[in-house]
Amino acid sequence: MAYDRYNAICRPLHYATIMCSRACVKMAAAVWASGFLTAVLHTANTFSIPLCQGNIVEQFFCEVPQILKLSCSDSYLREVGLLVVTACLMLGCFVFIVLSYVQIFTAVLRIPSEQGRHKAFSMCLPHLAVVSLFVSTAFFAYLKPPSISSPALDLALTVLYSVVPPTVNPLIYSMRNKELKDALRKVISWTFFSGGKITFALHN
């Protein structure tokens, strides 16, 4: 998304050429492949860790840090190493996103029209906010010291990085679509106002 926004704002005349369907397919394939590889490595490692602290995970899904708490073997160090590598990859992506947005905001501030600046900021800031929330809470959840860990804090962090961003993303991007806004207004107006008329007619 950051790369898309960068090309749309900083290189608008070349946008259609750069962000062609082939480029989008390649980027999506790279994301899916890296996500699948990371998931397979973590799954294989966590299944190989002997658990001797019980089998109850204090979480609403089998999150890696919670599984590591149940281990009493040094074999978990391999999984910790994988977590560090994953964190470094996430940090690299986050740095790339931040650098992209620095260039985007530099270009936006040069736009003479206040309306144009507002439109550009409203397009970029929601994405940056969601990414920042995801990365910061995931980093803290996975790399925080055990001394400050608690079930309530772990649950809150997990919800913030695993539930909130995927839930908010469709709303952020789809609500910018004029056709979707119009359709949503029609549904709301039909539900509340038409439904009210039907109910009134039945009562009469």
Side-chain angles (χ1 to χ4, degrees), residues 86-88 90-91 94 134-144:
T86 305
C88 290
M90 281 178 60
L91 183 62
F94 186 66
F134 171 75
V135 172
S136 60
T137 51
F139 258 91
F140 189 68
Y142 278 76
L143 301 178
K144 71 181 185 301

Side-chain angles (χ1 to χ4, degrees), residues 59-60 137 141 150-164:
Q59 195 56 268
F60 62 89
T137 51
S150 71
L153 177 63
D154 293 340
L155 181 62
L157 288 171
T158 305
V159 168
L160 282 174
Y161 78 78
S162 68
V163 176
V164 174

Side-chain angles (χ1 to χ4, degrees), residues 9 34 56 62 75 81 83 105 123 146 149 176 179 181 190:
I9 292 172
S34 59
I56 298 173
C62 290
S75 61
L83 287 175
F105 292 148
M123 184 173 69
S149 182
R176 296 188 56 77
E179 291 172 2
K181 283 181 182 176
W190 182 83

Side-chain angles (χ1 to χ4, degrees), residues 73-201:
S73 166
D74 289 339
S75 61
Y76 76 90
L77 291 174
R78 186 173 52 188
E79 179 60 30
V80 171
L82 264 176
L83 287 175
V84 171
V85 170
T86 305
C88 290
L89 289 173
M90 281 178 60
L91 183 62
C93 292
F94 186 66
V95 168
F96 171 77
I97 290 169
V98 169
L99 291 176
S100 298
Y101 274 112
V102 166
Q103 295 187 53
I104 288 169
F105 292 148
T106 304
V108 168
L109 291 173
R110 289 199 296 262
I111 296 175
S113 162
E114 185 177 344
Q115 186 180 359
R117 287 197 300 271
H118 175 73
K119 185 177 179 182
F121 278 126
S122 68
M123 184 173 69
C124 296
L125 288 176
H127 174 242
L128 189 58
V130 171
V131 169
S132 301
L133 174 69
F134 171 75
V135 172
S136 60
T137 51
F139 258 91
F140 189 68
Y142 278 76
L143 301 178
K144 71 181 185 301
S147 58
I148 63 169
S149 182
S150 71
L153 177 63
D154 293 340
L155 181 62
L157 288 171
T158 305
V159 168
L160 282 174
Y161 78 78
S162 68
V163 176
V164 174
T167 304
V168 172
N169 262 335
L171 294 173
I172 287 174
Y173 300 122
S174 60
M175 289 311 292
R176 296 188 56 77
N177 186 316
K178 186 177 182 300
E179 291 172 2
L180 186 74
K181 283 181 182 176
D182 293 341
L184 188 62
R185 280 195 203 99
K186 285 178 184 175
V187 168
I188 291 171
S189 107
W190 182 83
T191 303
F192 289 105
F193 299 109
S194 298
K197 288 176 184 175
I198 291 168
T199 305
F200 180 73

